[in-house]
Amino acid sequence: MKAKDHPYAAMKRLLLASMILLPVIPFISALWIGHYYFTLSLENSTIASITRIVEDHRHMIDSFLEERRNDLEFVLNTHTLESLGQAETLKRTLALLQQSSGAFVDLGVLDESGMHVAYQGPYELKWKSYRDEPWFKAVMEKGVYISDVFLGYRQVPHFVIALANQEGPSKWVIRATIDTQMFNEMAGRVRIGKTGEAFLLSADGTFQTERRSGGSLMQTDPDFSWYPVEDQGVKIFIETGSGGDQYLYATTRLTNKNWLLVVRQEKADAFKALSTAANMIILISLLGGAIIVGVAFYLTDRIVARIQQTDREKNQLNEQLIRAHRLSELGEMAAGFAHEINNPLQVMKSEQALIETIMADLKASGQLQESEDLKDVEDSIRQISLQIDRCSKITHAILRFGRKSEDAVQDFDIQKFIPEIIEMVAKKASVEGIAIHQYIQNGPLYIHGDPSQLQQVLLNLFNNAMDAIIQRHGTIGGELTVISETGDNGRVRLLVKDNGCGISADNLDKVFSPFFTTKPVGKGTGLGLSVCYGIVQNLGGTMTVESKPGEGTTFLIELPAIPA
Amino acid sequence: MEKPKILLVDDEERFLTTTQKVLHKKGYEVLTATSGAAALKALGEKSVDVAILDVKMPGMDGIATLKEIKRYHPLVEVIMLTGHGTFESAVEGLKSGATDYLTKPSDIAELLDKVAEAYEKRQRLEEKIRIIQSRQSEREEDTP
């Protein structure tokens, strides 16, 4: 059994492997390729978008600083130290500047020595000396200076734009404070996703604007150490920020001031679509994989089961064919044998008749006296006659097996016919305490054949069944079931079922063979079932048997029905 | 009643001799032949009422012999003797003009019953022929 199962197990493994691998390979490939190109395209577009944002933003801040410087330059060029030193003029000028941009907080005029000679604004800064302040030194040297954010005298973070007039007899300087609040808002005004932010860092890494995710003015950005320090161009990179989150960074330097513009967004936020897609892909892979594996298992089971069944049916068919062939060979052999036996039997019969005639003559003529011996001889002769008859019955039974009988062939309704046959054995059955159940399908079922032959078959089966029942149950609990119904392919199905002693597996193969019997010598010829088999075959039908020892036996006869 | 003259044809010689003896004892005149050819020869030489013909014989078989007998001796009644396996040929025999058939092994009594029936038939036939012939001769006598 194990050796027989083995090829199926191997077949199953092969089928399963190919049914899983074949769809999984393109499936996974498609997902992977899709993921790869989607990632690539999304990364490209995200980077392009952040690059554009950082460039636009730099341009805006640069323009702002440029414009403020130009404002001051205009003031510088249109005034002298004296004219602007007058409080009235300065006040007007600041008002004009504030019309141009609300970012101007105050305006001051300084002379060569760094003395605040005139001031217009919310603080009391007049006459303060800025001579030692670094921005004053820088502006005296370069003419233009934009400071980093610093606290100054006011102890308030701010930055200044200062311009020096290089022409004329004496140098003078105007300086304006830029509203850090406003600048902060403008420079930080960037909206990308949920976590996108922009901020400015000075050359030494202190915040020039507030950072929304934490980082106050003038604090040092802890991440500054690894920011790239290139002068021009946009730099894109992904790094882990000090908070532990990964960020997508875009940095660039301003043109008008040595400040670094940083735009950053949490990586998870920037590539949110990517992680959503990745999750979807994982989900689809798992679901798809599960479905493929499930379907593969299901189909493989179905296919292998179907193949197994087909093989089983093929084997059964082969066995049936072999059995039928063997039986027909046996039948032919038996028929030839029986025919040859009939000739010597005929001679023996003639001899016996001659002896009887002579004995009668001898007795009549008085040559034979009545005696015990003579009686024995006569008895012996009678016995010979009986045994010849017995032989003759056997040979006739054999000859019926496999012989086509042309007489009495007709179309008849088997549904009417069967109850008549059952009636014949009903008496015997009731005596033996056997219940007979009939399930005869309604309506006529016609078959073509010799009714007497079918009667012989059924009586044979009924008698066998009853013998088996009596052997197992005695006279209590016996059941004989007869079913007659329409079967497959326009055939009549006839079932004769008993709950008798059953037939052992060894004997089951031989029940249709001529001369096979389990009955004691002289009780059965072993021809009954083989004759039945031959008859059913001649009717164009098939006859099979199923049996379990100790449970019962079922004979199934299928006969071609005549279409109604 | 007059007993019929019987011709037994079978290739089994012992069957022929024994049956001949039994029938002799019962007062029948019995001829035997071991083949179809011998049977036809015997019929040519002696008058026979009923022939019992085995279907299965070497050489000319029962059916062929039957056809020859019916051709040359149409008034001889023929009973076919058949093994069961040659049942179909018994039917063919009946169609070819045999009166009846017997299956082997058959009783002498059964055999004699069938012979008697066949003989009756033959006698009825002869009777009819005689009547027709006598009418014919009467008519001939009437014409001067």
Side-chain angles (χ1 to χ4, degrees), chain B:
Chain B
M1 197 182 90
E2 201 188 327
K3 295 212 166 164
K5 293 193 192 75
I6 301 170
L7 171 64
L8 271 178
V9 189
D10 198 315
D11 57 329
E12 194 85 42
E13 264 185 76
R14 180 69 203 197
F15 168 67
L16 293 180
T17 52
T18 308
T19 312
Q20 193 180 29
K21 272 187 205 165
V22 175
L23 294 180
H24 265 310
K25 296 235 174 241
K26 293 188 185 289
Y28 291 87
E29 194 180 322
V30 179
L31 299 173
T32 63
T34 54
S35 71
L40 285 166
K41 192 165 167 251
L43 283 170
E45 288 163 1
K46 303 230 169 109
S47 125
V48 167
D49 297 313
V50 179
I52 295 165
L53 193 55
D54 187 18
V55 169
K56 204 180 155 201
M57 284 186 297
M60 194 194 258
D61 74 359
I63 299 295
T65 312
L66 168 69
K67 284 177 181 165
E68 289 295 292
I69 291 173
K70 281 287 155 186
R71 193 161 145 202
Y72 296 109
H73 313 282
L75 285 181
V76 174
E77 297 296 332
V78 181
I79 295 170
M80 303 304 288
L81 185 58
T82 169
H84 216 82
T86 50
F87 193 84
E88 283 82 2
S89 45
V91 173
E92 203 189 327
L94 288 176
K95 286 178 185 164
S96 305
T99 313
D100 209 340
Y101 73 94
L102 279 165
T103 48
K104 281 184 180 180
S106 62
D107 285 335
I108 296 291
E110 196 187 345
L111 185 140
L112 283 176
D113 278 353
K114 301 235 164 175
V115 167
E117 269 176 40
Y119 185 54
E120 252 177 60
K121 191 184 163 199
R122 154 129 192 181
Q123 279 183 318
R124 278 204 302 277
L125 211 60
E126 282 183 335
E127 188 66 24
K128 279 180 194 163
I129 293 169
R130 242 197 324 274
I131 290 165
I132 294 165
Q133 279 175 341
S134 65
R135 278 189 193 149
Q136 185 108 29
S137 57
E138 271 169 26
R139 213 173 289 159
E140 277 167 10
E141 274 167 27
D142 286 350
T143 45

Side-chain angles (χ1 to χ4, degrees), chain A residues 406-535:
Chain A
E406 292 299 327
D407 47 341
V409 168
Q410 52 183 275
D411 294 350
F412 63 100
D413 179 9
I414 196 167
Q415 305 298 64
K416 267 193 198 148
F417 185 69
I418 290 169
E420 287 171 18
I421 312 288
I422 293 172
E423 199 50 45
M424 291 176 170
V425 294
K427 179 87 180 153
K428 184 184 173 190
S430 72
V431 168
E432 301 291 350
I434 297 168
I436 300 182
H437 307 290
Q438 301 182 38
Y439 300 101
I440 311 290
Q441 187 183 303
N442 281 335
L445 275 178
Y446 281 96
I447 65 162
H448 184 77
D450 177 356
S452 70
Q453 285 194 328
L454 192 66
Q455 173 181 331
Q456 188 188 346
V457 170
L458 290 173
L459 284 178
N460 213 310
L461 292 181
F462 294 162
N463 284 323
N464 280 353
M466 287 194 281
D467 287 348
I469 289 167
I470 292 161
Q471 198 178 329
R472 182 170 163 217
H473 294 282
T475 54
I476 296 157
E479 280 181 26
L480 173 62
T481 308
V482 184
I483 301 169
S484 171
E485 61 192 13
T486 311
D488 301 330
N489 307 326
R491 288 168 91 81
V492 177
R493 266 164 67 87
L494 255 176
L495 284 148
V496 179
K497 207 181 222 172
D498 68 62
N499 64 346
C501 55
I503 303 167
S504 76
D506 279 353
N507 288 342
L508 204 58
D509 282 344
K510 300 181 229 159
V511 286
F512 295 126
S513 301
F515 303 115
F516 175 78
T517 181
T518 54
K519 290 178 181 169
V521 177
K523 285 278 177 187
T525 57
L527 286 166
L529 282 176
S530 69
V531 170
C532 291
Y533 188 91
I535 289 172

